[in-house]
Amino acid sequence: MPLQLMLHLDLHGRSAAAQARRAARSHLSGTAGGDEAYLPPLALDTALLLISELVTNAVRHTSGGCMLEVCLVADGIDIEVSDTSSAEPRARRPDRRGEGGWGWHLVNQLGTDVGIRHHAAGGKTIHVRVPC
């Protein structure tokens, strides 16, 4: 069976981030397996962290769940999370007591090519690349 080039995953509910991390780890490990590609552990860990942040925020701040797409490309890992809200993420002052505010800062500091595409029918897709 050929390797899937892109992971597509519909996510809903409280376990969405954990499901996303498990599926992305499995997909990226399988895609990068073999002699033709190597995925540095730091890139994988960074991708899983950003996936967790984006999915958690999509599920927490929207009403309709989200769609995760992950693809290993020549120079990195492309991550896209689509949700039903047209509202753009806002950087908040991080709360050191664990009340949030770190996610959007992490996405912008650890990722490259961060962008937001709005959809005509509503909703948006957030794109970020994790360099390898």
Side-chain angles (χ1 to χ4, degrees):
M1 183 166 118
L3 292 173
Q4 182 180 351
L5 296 178
M6 183 174 290
L7 169 68
H8 297 274
L9 193 60
D10 285 312
L11 298 158
H12 302 274
R14 298 185 68 154
S15 64
Q19 292 172 9
R21 284 190 306 273
R22 277 193 304 274
R25 179 183 298 279
S26 176
H27 172 73
L28 290 169
S29 296
T31 303
D35 297 331
E36 66 278 354
Y38 171 71
L39 184 59
L42 181 59
L44 177 61
D45 290 345
T46 301
L48 295 175
L49 173 64
L50 297 186
I51 287 167
S52 185
E53 291 294 336
L54 290 170
V55 169
T56 296
N57 286 341
V59 171
R60 180 179 292 161
H61 298 292
T62 68
S63 61
C66 66
M67 163 68 97
L68 170 68
E69 294 185 345
V70 179
C71 186
L72 184 62
V73 295
D75 58 345
I77 303 164
D78 279 346
I79 301 164
E80 292 194 342
V81 176
S82 301
D83 62 45
T84 58
S85 172
S86 295
E88 293 196 9
R90 292 179 305 138
R92 295 188 303 148
R93 179 180 216 160
D95 186 322
R96 297 188 188 275
R97 297 170 295 173
E99 297 297 320
W102 297 97
W104 194 236
H105 294 289
L106 288 171
V107 169
N108 284 281
Q109 290 297 314
L110 299 176
T112 62
D113 301 331
V114 178
I116 301 170
R117 291 189 319 273
H118 291 275
H119 305 287
K124 67 181 172 303
T125 298
I126 297 175
H127 170 88
V128 62
R129 175 169 290 166
V130 174
C132 286

